[in-house]
Amino acid sequence: MSVAPKSGPEPPAGRPESDVGRRVHAFRRLRRMSLRALAERSDVSGSFLSQLERGRSSASISTLARIASALGITMAELFDTSAIGPTPLRSQDRPVLDWVGGGRKTSLTREPLTGFGVYEAEFAPGGSTGDEQYSHPGWHEVVVVLTNQVTVLLDTERFVLGEGDSLDFDSRQPHRIVNETDALSVVHWVLGPVQPGDKE
């Protein structure tokens, strides 16, 4: 349900709603998010969000919590008076993505990034991305082995990658990654835009 804006005269700088609105705007620009994207992710109307960013409306704590979550920040960061800029993502705070098959995948970036993703994946002995190869459109992938080794199956091809090895491929190719060793394997996984020469 969208939230309607509470319109009013332009408040002077230093008013809480003005400061919070400026920080929402700054974090949104830092995340390269459109007004519409943030409005949809936080379940508010675009007009309300625009008024909030300009300091012409105020928001409830629950609404601000949804906006902060959509921006990938804490509520405290919305009210902090320090300068806004790149924020470290601590290892213990990485978003964990559900993954069946004996693996654990965490995001190395604060979401969301448009058309770009960087992840770390841990494969226990025998762990994999699943029992079957899979494919999905719209990405080009790069796998870099940090520790031990993994086997990458690309349709009928098979690649064994050791520490420091990498492989890139069109995500529309059927693929599967598996740890066939008896030790933990760790890889970095980058998803980027489709490249010239990838399948149509």
Side-chain angles (χ1 to χ4, degrees), residues 30-189:
L30 184 66
R31 300 287 186 262
R32 297 182 176 88
M33 291 181 72
S34 68
L35 193 72
R36 175 180 292 181
L38 180 55
E40 290 176 352
R41 287 174 180 268
S42 53
D43 193 28
V44 300
S45 70
S47 60
F48 166 75
L49 193 58
S50 175
Q51 295 275 23
L52 178 67
E53 288 191 353
R54 289 183 290 164
R56 293 185 174 180
S57 65
S58 58
S60 67
I61 293 299
S62 61
T63 299
L64 290 176
R66 294 199 306 273
I67 292 172
S69 177
L71 288 169
I73 61 175
T74 65
M75 282 281 285
E77 288 176 286
L78 273 185
F79 293 95
D80 194 346
T81 58
S82 60
I84 297 174
T87 306
L89 177 59
R90 306 301 179 187
S91 59
Q92 68 271 17
D93 297 327
R94 291 179 191 168
V96 179
L97 308 175
D98 292 332
W99 199 358
V100 296
R104 180 176 183 269
K105 188 177 182 181
T106 57
S107 176
L108 299 181
T109 64
R110 290 183 178 273
E111 299 292 352
L113 293 180
T114 302
F116 183 69
V118 185
Y119 307 93
E120 181 172 287
E122 299 177 353
F123 294 95
S128 70
T129 53
D131 294 335
E132 303 290 336
Q133 293 190 26
Y134 67 100
S135 62
H136 46 98
W139 297 100
H140 194 91
E141 305 186 26
V142 183
V143 174
V144 184
V145 180
L146 302 183
T147 61
N148 200 21
Q149 70 177 42
V150 297
T151 299
V152 181
L153 304 173
L154 284 181
D155 202 358
T156 60
E157 296 184 276
R158 174 187 175 92
F159 301 92
V160 178
L161 305 180
E163 291 186 12
D165 293 343
S166 61
L167 179 70
D168 71 281
F169 54 90
D170 179 355
S171 66
R172 286 167 287 193
Q173 285 185 269
H175 55 280
R176 176 175 182 253
I177 300 177
V178 57
N179 176 8
E180 298 178 322
T181 76
D182 58 2
L184 179 72
S185 296
V186 181
V187 306
H188 276 180
W189 203 330

